[in-house]
Amino acid sequence: MSAYIQMTVLSPSNFSDTRRDVTQKDWTRWSWRNLNASSFSKTRTRCGGPLLPCVHDAALGMHRDRAQDTYSGPYSVPDLPATPNAGGSNLYASTVGPDANYYSSSSSISGSPGSLSREPSNMYMADLPPPAAAPVDPLPSPHHVNLYVSAPQEDEHLTPYHTTPSGPAPPRAYASPECATSSPTLGKQTNYTTKSQTSNYSAGSVLESGPPSTPPPTRASLGEKHKKDKDGTPRPWNAEFQTVCELPDGLDKFARLERLACEFVETASTYARIIISEMCLANEHKTLKPVGLGGIAGGAKYMAQGIMFKFALDSIIHQKSGLWMYGGTASDDEAAIKAAGKELTGLQAHNLTFVPGLYYPLMAIIDYKGFRMIAVTVLPINKTTLIYGSDDGGNTVRAEDEDLNGMMKLAAGRLNLAGHAVGQGSRSREIFGPGDIEGHKGTDGRYYVCDFGRIMPPEDPQRSASSRAVYFRHFRPEFMRLRAREALCSDSFSGWDAGTQEERADHNAAVVRASNMLHNDLIPAFADALVNDIRLCNLKWESHDQLSNINTLLEALDSARIHEQGINMRHIGVLRSRVKCGSTRKVLLSLALSRLAKSEAHRMMRDLMRSSNLATISDAPFLEAMMVYIRGLMDQSEASAFWGGSLKEKLLARYPHILTPEEMLPSFDMREGSDLRMVVVHFLQLTGIKVLKKALDTFLKTPHSFLLLFSDLKGIEPRVKHMHLVCSSAAQHNLIAAQDIVKDYERTFQPVYQTTARRLLRVASANFDETFAAVPYCPLTPYLWAHVYLEQAKIASSREKAIVYHVRALALFDRACVNLCLPFTLIAAAACLKNLADLVRDDDPTEATRYDALSAEKLEMKDVPDMLKSFTTMGS
């Protein structure tokens, strides 16, 4: 078999000496894959023993294209193992250096035994004996060799061929997620970027990570191959997602899952923008036409590329009475938008119960031009696959599969949800969750759960002016998982609860008690804690003339921090009424004003779309309207459209208790009690409106003498909320890669390993920070995050820094135990305490003794409730 090969040289090889060794006992492990003439396969190989030749007779026309920096020529693939031809065999290799970046070279096997010399054409010469020969000079180095070979075949199917010789396994080598390489192709060059991201959590994946079972994923292996299908079928997102989730934990799984999640978000955002821009067109003129998929809320639904899209709009559910789903007597699209956000929140909360056997779709929420759209992967389900819950408003309720019933009960227990009767009379069933949740046994045999909009119980509706508040004002998952003192019913205060009168009264009373606890205990406690936050209470407002300063301040009291306490953003008025610090009160009022401005701007864009029947992808008409609105926001004169009029009444209606009776008086100036720069910057972030950096910097320096121009506006970008998989998978990927490089550093003590590991660990820490902000109630996020600091301690430049890293890791282990106290978390915390004791023993024996005692105490905590024991297996 022979073909034409092109080898891309990524950069000059970094071999620093002219002699390398090859040991006989450490054998080479390598593989190659055949494709058709239009494809090319890259195969990774780590060489620790005699280099088996994979390319022969390259002297027959082998040449270098200096313009493209490539080598090309004819070759043939021998049977393996093979004996090198004397003075003529060639090996094309790419080495992974100690910094985990790719370097490339081409090696010609010729010359005297054991010699290795560099040629001007970036080639290395060596004569290697057959495998049966006596050992010769070895070639160990911090570099691991990767072989790239390609051969044509009629069948397009990838057929790996592996030779697994005996001897010790080669060292693990993972490429840096930041590394970008080029993959050789037949006839052209293609950029290949190894990007870092990951999958569902696994407790063991970080502690016992081995080399990936397959080569690093290429685009073809990550789902791109379907785009070449001749029938043009949509991408099977769900099949890919579930297949990847079922892979063994490792870098390959995490990279595939992150790439899949990112591509899903990008695809969903692209099509959502088209659907929203064309919503006022007649159906026959739309690029994507609506389809009838049933359901009460949400209006028209669309299908594109294997993704289902639906608008978050209020809809009439009873024509005769004119009853709207969320607004009651009138349409309330803003309430519908809030309810749509609960879909993603509920999905993530249910997914993070880690119940084996339950499967979930991919989902994203896209906000654009005032509209919100939900994008979810199409599942292999239909009317006949429903076996749990109701899809017809409660007329028919199912709970037919004992296996699924048990799994839903287990998930509800971990979410602190109470079971209740749903349905009428003898047809009622016990459901754990809302009555309109759906459980299906898909056509692929998997148990799927969907429709999570009301999975969280409602707050006490008496605290809201809306009669339909039970459908969109719910407790946070953080509250239910970490704060609630008793199980609550998802259908409290609604007609879905079909229990006896006494049971319904008990469910409603439990919700009232939880609401009182939230308002009377949690919010005041958080307000007291803010007093000690130096970032908020020691502010110097005059220094906030730079965007970075404003962003730092917003991060000190953003929605993620408030949600972490189990508090909804709608309660920032109650929170402000409890806060005594003047600077913190100013920040909270600024946040409330920017969120009020965002809601008004979104309503204006929706009205503009509907009234003008606009159907254009262009942002220009909306930017003109937003320019006028933002000018009013920046104008603090009495004639301002935003600051004048009934601003206080509108703010108080949205955020009760945010203003004191004294602040409601005309003498209190809202502009003095807030910060205009913070209001504008946060407003732009919430709406996706992009302003030129130069114009924004000018405004921040001179906020009271700045006039916004149309040319200052760059456009409106969709704001996408996605599942935590993107950041969590990236975090695990970077952590595992860093762990491997740390092992290399401990073996060789080369500085390049140390600096590379530090870079990866910094990125992993940022990924975990983002994951924690999204799902702070997940017990595994702080557990895995702690291992980032433990790895940093291993490569710390001083004992003092190692102690600091151990203390940070211990704090995260303790946080993981607060979320859910699991055996492996206690064991890891005990080991961390033991290391900390050893570090301080020489300087402070008393402190070391205390750490030893705490370590022993952790190990003695072995009593775990039966309900939590299955959490020790954290598969997807």
Side-chain angles (χ1 to χ4, degrees):
M1 181 186 301
S2 63
Y4 188 84
I5 182 172
Q6 176 173 294
M7 173 64 197
T8 302
V9 177
L10 309 176
S11 68
S13 176
N14 65 343
F15 279 106
S16 59
D17 55 46
T18 59
R19 189 174 180 81
R20 298 285 172 178
D21 298 326
V22 179
T23 59
Q24 177 65 26
K25 61 181 181 180
D26 293 336
W27 290 78
T28 301
R29 184 173 70 180
W30 69 288
S31 62
W32 56 277
R33 296 184 176 188
N34 293 332
L35 300 172
N36 63 6
S38 64
S39 304
F40 201 96
S41 175
K42 181 179 79 171
T43 303
R44 297 187 60 181
T45 303
R46 289 181 293 274
C47 293
L51 303 179
L52 300 179
C54 62
V55 181
H56 280 231
D57 301 327
L60 303 177
M62 189 68 188
H63 68 278
R64 180 186 186 191
D65 184 345
R66 294 187 177 274
Q68 297 295 326
D69 205 17
T70 61
Y71 294 94
S72 58
Y75 76 98
S76 62
V77 180
D79 295 330
L80 298 178
T83 302
N85 295 337
S89 299
N90 281 267
L91 174 70
Y92 301 94
S94 172
T95 62
V96 179
D99 58 351
N101 288 323
Y102 284 102
Y103 298 88
S104 182
S105 64
S106 178
S107 299
S108 176
I109 304 174
S110 62
S112 61
S115 67
L116 183 66
S117 59
R118 177 173 179 172
E119 297 296 323
S121 59
N122 206 26
M123 302 182 69
Y124 295 83
M125 319 297 291
D127 185 25
L128 301 177
V136 296
D137 297 296
L139 175 60
S141 74
H143 305 75
H144 308 292
V145 180
N146 297 281
L147 308 184
Y148 298 78
V149 293
S150 173
Q153 190 177 4
E154 290 84 359
D155 186 10
E156 182 180 304
H157 180 67
L158 291 173
T159 55
Y161 178 85
H162 298 279
T163 58
T164 311
S166 59
R172 293 179 296 173
Y174 299 134
S176 164
E178 301 171 352
C179 144
T181 71
S182 298
S183 176
T185 59
L186 292 175
K188 65 177 182 179
Q189 286 184 273
T190 304
N191 290 332
Y192 171 78
T193 302
T194 308
K195 198 176 180 181
S196 68
Q197 294 176 352
T198 51
S199 80
N200 294 346
Y201 296 104
S202 171
S205 63
V206 174
L207 303 182
E208 297 179 2
S209 58
S213 56
T214 57
T218 61
R219 278 200 167 269
S221 66
L222 288 168
E224 294 297 319
K225 182 176 178 296
H226 76 279
K227 297 181 180 178
K228 304 174 185 177
D229 293 343
K230 296 180 180 179
D231 57 359
T233 55
R235 181 170 182 175
W237 293 100
N238 180 70
E240 289 184 42
F241 178 50
Q242 309 305 342
T243 300
V244 171
C245 287
E246 291 169 349
L247 290 175
D249 292 326
L251 286 185
D252 180 57
K253 171 181 176 176
F254 298 150
R256 288 169 183 258
L257 186 57
E258 184 201 13
R259 180 68 64 84
L260 180 67
C262 288
E263 290 180 351
F264 170 76
V265 170
E266 182 181 355
T267 303
S269 177
T270 300
Y271 282 97
R273 182 176 178 179
I274 296 173
I275 295 171
I276 292 172
S277 297
E278 296 182 344
M279 67 168 299
C280 292
L281 280 178
N283 288 341
E284 59 269 22
H285 300 306
K286 291 182 178 180
T287 304
L288 299 172
K289 297 174 174 55
V291 295
L293 295 176
I296 296 177
K301 298 175 176 64
Y302 299 79
M303 294 283 293
Q305 291 297 317
I307 303 175
M308 191 267 285
F309 297 86
K310 59 180 178 180
F311 275 103
L313 298 172
D314 203 358
S315 56
I316 293 181
I317 59 176
H318 196 275
Q319 291 290 345
K320 291 185 178 180
S321 63
L323 180 65
W324 292 79
M325 178 65 196
Y326 301 107
T329 57
S331 174
D332 190 345
D333 287 336
E334 188 173 351
I337 288 173
K338 294 178 181 178
K342 310 298 181 184
E343 284 275 357
L344 181 60
T345 302
L347 167 60
Q348 294 196 131
H350 212 276
N351 182 26
L352 289 175
T353 60
F354 299 109
V355 175
L358 292 183
Y359 293 83
Y360 304 88
L362 282 170
M363 181 182 292
I365 291 179
I366 301 95
D367 293 331
Y368 183 59
K369 293 180 179 176
F371 291 92
R372 171 165 288 184
M373 179 155 279
I374 301 175
V376 62
T377 52
V378 177
L379 300 177
I381 61 176
N382 51 54
K383 288 280 187 180
T384 65
T385 61
L386 179 68
I387 56 176
Y388 194 90
S390 175
D391 64 349
D392 58 2
N395 293 324
T396 304
V397 184
R398 301 183 182 277
E400 303 168 351
D401 189 293
E402 292 300 325
D403 291 336
L404 182 57
N405 294 348
M407 288 186 282
M408 294 297 290
K409 183 177 181 179
L410 180 58
R414 294 172 179 175
L415 290 173
N416 222 356
L417 300 178
H420 63 289
V422 178
Q424 301 300 319
S426 60
R427 296 180 299 173
S428 67
R429 299 288 186 272
E430 185 179 29
I431 297 297
F432 290 87
D436 55 354
I437 197 171
E438 295 184 18
H440 294 258
K441 188 167 186 178
T443 56
D444 59 358
R446 297 184 176 99
Y447 289 111
Y448 291 97
V449 188
C450 55
D451 287 356
F452 302 94
R454 296 193 309 110
I455 194 73
M456 294 295 114
E459 279 195 52
D460 183 359
Q462 296 178 2
R463 292 181 177 272
S464 172
S466 173
S467 61
R468 307 285 292 177
V470 294
Y471 295 107
F472 59 89
R473 292 172 64 95
H474 303 155
F475 289 109
R476 292 285 311 173
E478 296 86 349
F479 176 86
M480 294 302 301
R481 289 287 293 265
L482 308 176
R483 313 292 182 182
R485 298 167 182 167
E486 57 186 318
L488 304 180
C489 175
S490 299
D491 285 327
S492 298
F493 290 103
S494 77
W496 284 91
D497 190 350
T500 65
Q501 184 175 358
E502 183 179 356
E503 290 172 339
R504 294 197 301 271
D506 289 343
H507 294 157
N508 295 344
V511 165
V512 172
R513 288 192 294 271
S515 298
N516 291 337
M517 191 261 286
L518 172 64
H519 286 262
N520 301 332
D521 297 339
L522 288 185
I523 294 179
F526 183 50
D528 293 340
L530 292 178
V531 174
N532 300 320
D533 193 324
I534 60 175
R535 294 176 297 177
L536 296 171
C537 293
N538 295 332
L539 291 178
K540 296 180 180 179
W541 294 96
E542 62 276 5
S543 66
H544 295 148
D545 58 351
Q546 295 182 0
L547 183 60
S548 59
N549 296 337
I550 295 291
N551 288 331
T552 300
L553 187 57
L554 289 172
E555 291 171 1
L557 195 58
D558 60 1
S559 59
R561 186 178 182 188
I562 296 176
H563 288 163
E564 181 186 347
Q565 306 301 317
I567 302 172
N568 304 79
M569 289 301 293
R570 62 176 174 268
H571 296 317
I572 58 177
V574 180
L575 179 62
R576 184 175 184 269
S577 69
R578 299 279 187 167
V579 170
K580 305 304 180 184
C581 173
S583 295
T584 305
R585 289 175 58 83
K586 193 171 186 177
V587 172
L588 288 169
L589 183 58
S590 301
L591 292 177
L593 288 168
S594 61
R595 297 177 75 86
L596 173 64
K598 178 230 11 180
S599 298
E600 289 187 345
H602 281 174
R603 177 184 52 78
M604 289 177 59
M605 286 190 280
R606 289 194 299 270
D607 293 344
L608 178 62
M609 177 83 78
R610 289 164 171 160
S611 62
S612 304
N613 286 326
L614 291 176
T616 174
I617 296 294
S618 173
D619 295 335
F622 301 91
L623 288 177
E624 290 178 357
M626 288 300 98
M627 179 192 68
V628 175
Y629 184 81
I630 297 173
R631 280 182 175 179
L633 188 62
M634 293 178 174
D635 178 13
Q636 291 192 312
S637 66
E638 294 295 336
S640 170
F642 179 81
W643 297 96
S646 57
L647 175 61
K648 292 183 179 180
E649 288 74 15
K650 291 188 292 184
L651 191 65
L652 195 62
R654 180 176 295 271
Y655 301 108
H657 308 292
I658 194 167
L659 298 175
T660 64
E662 293 77 14
E663 291 172 335
M664 286 296 296
L665 297 175
S667 58
F668 176 73
D669 193 341
M670 295 277 285
R671 294 161 291 191
E672 295 296 329
S674 60
D675 183 73
L676 177 62
R677 293 163 296 186
M678 183 181 295
V679 172
V680 172
V681 169
H682 197 216
F683 166 81
L684 295 175
Q685 294 173 350
L686 293 173
T687 55
I689 299 173
K690 299 303 176 183
V691 178
L692 292 175
K693 184 179 183 302
K694 187 174 182 180
L696 187 58
D697 290 341
T698 303
F699 163 74
L700 293 176
K701 292 178 180 178
T702 57
H704 301 291
S705 59
F706 177 82
L707 180 64
L708 184 71
L709 304 177
F710 184 80
S711 58
D712 295 330
L713 300 177
K714 297 167 60 178
I716 304 175
E717 292 185 359
R719 295 187 72 246
V720 183
K721 297 180 180 179
H722 51 72
M723 297 174 67
H724 69 285
L725 291 176
V726 175
C727 48
S728 66
S729 56
Q732 285 202 67
H733 187 190
N734 287 322
L735 175 56
I736 296 176
Q739 284 177 319
D740 195 68
I741 296 178
V742 169
K743 289 182 175 66
D744 290 336
Y745 173 72
E746 292 176 327
R747 187 181 68 254
T748 64
F749 294 102
Q750 293 195 19
V752 66
Y753 287 124
Q754 186 184 42
T755 56
T756 303
R758 284 175 177 169
R759 287 193 298 122
L760 281 172
L761 290 170
R762 282 195 296 268
V763 175
S765 184
N767 296 145
F768 279 122
D769 190 12
E770 185 180 356
T771 305
F772 186 81
V775 284
Y777 52 86
C778 177
L780 286 178
T781 302
Y783 170 80
L784 296 174
W785 195 358
H787 284 81
V788 172
Y789 291 114
L790 292 181
E791 295 299 318
Q792 287 178 325
K794 294 178 182 179
I795 58 176
S797 57
S798 66
R799 186 164 59 91
E800 289 73 18
K801 289 185 177 181
I803 292 174
V804 171
Y805 289 136
H806 275 86
V807 171
R808 292 178 181 176
L810 185 60
L812 287 168
F813 283 134
D814 288 342
R815 176 53 197 258
C817 290
V818 169
N819 287 3
L820 189 62
C821 192
L822 297 174
F824 60 78
T825 305
L826 295 172
I827 294 172
C832 181
L833 283 165
K834 188 66 176 176
N835 292 341
L836 195 55
D838 294 338
L839 286 169
V840 303
R841 198 175 307 279
D842 293 339
D843 295 337
D844 194 342
T846 303
E847 189 72 0
T849 302
R850 188 176 73 88
Y851 286 140
D852 285 331
L854 290 173
S855 177
E857 181 182 340
K858 296 285 186 185
L859 292 176
E860 291 174 359
M861 297 172 61
K862 298 179 180 179
D863 296 331
V864 180
D866 292 339
M867 184 189 73
L868 305 181
K869 287 183 179 178
S870 61
F871 269 85
T872 56
T873 302
M874 293 292 185
S876 59

